[in-house]
Amino acid sequence: MDEQPEPAQDPSPETGGSLDRRAELSEFLRTRRARLKPEDVGLPDFGRHRRVPGLRREELAQLAGVSAAYYTRLEQGNGRNVSAEVLDAIARALRLSDAEHAHLTHLAKPKQHKKKQGVRTQQVRGALRQLLDTMDGIPAYVVGRRSDILVWNRMAAAVFGDWSQLPPQERNWARMTFLKPEYRELFVEWEQKATDIVSYLRLDAGCHPDDPRLSALVGELSVKSEEFRRLWATHDVKEKSYGVKRMQHPLVGHLELSFETFRLIDDQEQTLITYHAEPGSPSAEALRLLASWGTDATRSGTQSTTPQA
């Protein structure tokens, strides 16, 4: 028998506090199951009308080698005693990516954090700040938890804007992407940029569901941006990687820059991101022009690197 369709969950809190880990686990499993069809996983589809999208719970349980009752309890958010082996089997059945598998594990078997522990201020090593300053002609910055921008160099300010003019709490990719119109104009593929940002935040939320700043950020964006609410409700997660960003810069026009991400070995919650253009390309010439204009390219000047408060 087909299971009954489930009511949609509220995609986010509207105030600070903690994200509901059980609700997050339930919705993540439900949305991953909904994106699979029987034929995707080698099951017969008898053509009967399905009242819910994707696989039924009992079909997913069969693929994972667990009972339907056990899987149902897990999808209802009760993962307290689930083993790593069962989570691995469910991840394989759902065809999860590595990032999705890690997210499932964080939700089902969360690490124990000390209660009432203050939120640690993210600090960037002095040598790393110096490195950014020496990367002449290469836009680079360090991003930390919650998509906070921690430090950056002069070329990053020339390409992305003068972040030193923003209050520290607004130096955040999620806030800028969804709440500042100039970033919608800057990124040619804005929808992809927005989707990536939300996917990174989801992964962060799985690791730190009790982070009040993250919960407050999600709540603020949920209230102010309908697009954020829509993307947050998908429960998609991904790791920062590499690729190409296409931008329409207000001073030099079209930019096509490749980006690379480097997670810091001494602080896995900080990532160095660099951008470069193909040698001899119009984008390389545009970067050279921005570098030669110096602080004039930011239209208001900037500090080379500024720590997050």
Side-chain angles (χ1 to χ4, degrees):
M1 178 181 294
D2 284 346
E3 61 197 86
Q4 293 296 318
E6 302 164 15
Q9 299 287 328
D10 184 357
S12 64
E14 293 191 2
T15 60
S18 300
L19 297 173
D20 187 335
R21 184 190 59 79
R22 292 187 60 173
E24 292 289 307
L25 174 60
S26 176
E27 283 296 287
F28 179 69
L29 285 171
R30 186 186 64 80
T31 55
R32 298 315 88 178
R33 179 168 57 84
R35 70 184 182 181
L36 291 175
K37 298 178 181 178
E39 56 267 32
D40 294 334
V41 293
L43 292 177
D45 184 1
F46 299 108
R48 293 186 301 163
H49 175 66
R50 289 173 176 255
R51 286 177 286 181
V52 293
L55 294 179
R56 304 183 185 95
R57 289 196 188 104
E58 58 266 27
E59 290 172 330
L60 196 282
Q62 176 186 345
L63 288 170
V66 298
S67 71
Y70 185 94
Y71 176 77
T72 297
R73 288 196 300 272
L74 181 62
E75 193 172 290
Q76 290 172 344
N78 186 4
R80 286 176 296 178
N81 299 316
V82 65
S83 68
E85 291 76 16
V86 168
L87 289 178
D88 291 346
I90 291 173
R92 287 193 297 270
L94 288 171
R95 300 193 172 184
L96 300 186
S97 68
D98 289 344
E100 289 172 328
H101 191 169
H103 185 62
L104 173 62
T105 302
H106 289 143
L107 293 176
K109 299 178 74 67
K111 295 180 179 179
Q112 296 298 317
H113 298 284
K114 294 181 180 179
K115 293 184 178 181
K116 297 183 179 180
Q117 186 178 25
V119 178
R120 180 174 61 89
T121 300
Q122 298 177 98
Q123 300 289 345
V124 178
R125 287 185 288 108
L128 183 55
R129 297 186 196 178
Q130 294 171 4
L131 174 63
L132 263 66
D133 281 335
T134 63
M135 297 171 72
D136 191 32
I138 298 178
Y141 57 85
V142 174
V143 66
R145 292 271 312 283
R146 315 171 203 95
S147 74
D148 286 340
I149 300 166
L150 305 181
V151 295
W152 61 94
N153 64 7
R154 183 174 62 91
M155 282 302 298
V159 171
F160 298 108
D162 187 5
W163 292 327
S164 69
Q165 299 301 304
L166 296 176
Q169 67 272 17
E170 292 185 18
R171 299 170 195 162
N172 175 279
W173 267 123
R175 279 197 177 93
M176 294 188 302
T177 300
F178 286 96
L179 303 183
K180 290 188 175 294
E182 56 266 36
Y183 285 90
R184 188 182 295 266
E185 297 172 1
L186 176 65
F187 293 103
V188 175
E189 290 123 352
W190 180 88
E191 179 75 18
Q192 185 60 56
K193 175 68 174 178
T195 299
D196 289 346
I197 289 294
V198 174
S199 298
Y200 304 151
L201 283 183
R202 268 288 180 199
L203 199 60
D204 197 10
C207 297
H208 304 279
D210 298 325
D211 182 348
R213 292 184 186 175
L214 177 58
S215 183
L217 174 64
V218 170
E220 176 189 355
L221 294 175
S222 297
V223 169
K224 295 180 179 179
S225 171
E226 187 274 334
E227 289 157 316
F228 179 85
R229 290 196 301 274
R230 171 177 58 82
L231 292 171
W232 187 254
T234 66
H235 287 260
D236 289 340
V237 296
K238 69 183 297 186
E239 283 275 14
K240 298 178 182 67
S241 183
Y242 60 89
V244 175
K245 281 286 182 290
R246 297 173 180 84
M247 291 169 272
Q248 191 64 29
H249 193 276
L251 296 182
V252 296
H254 184 73
L255 283 173
E256 185 167 316
L257 303 179
S258 296
F259 68 92
E260 301 284 344
T261 62
F262 306 91
R263 193 175 296 277
L264 303 189
I265 194 168
D266 61 327
D267 189 339
Q268 293 290 297
E269 294 178 346
Q270 293 186 18
T271 305
L272 170 65
I273 303 179
T274 66
Y275 291 78
H276 70 277
E278 182 180 351
S281 66
S283 293
E285 175 62 17
L287 285 184
R288 189 191 65 79
L289 286 174
L290 287 175
S292 67
W293 291 337
T295 55
D296 290 341
T298 68
R299 291 179 289 179
S300 58
T302 185
Q303 300 172 5
S304 59
T305 55
T306 305
Q308 171 74 21

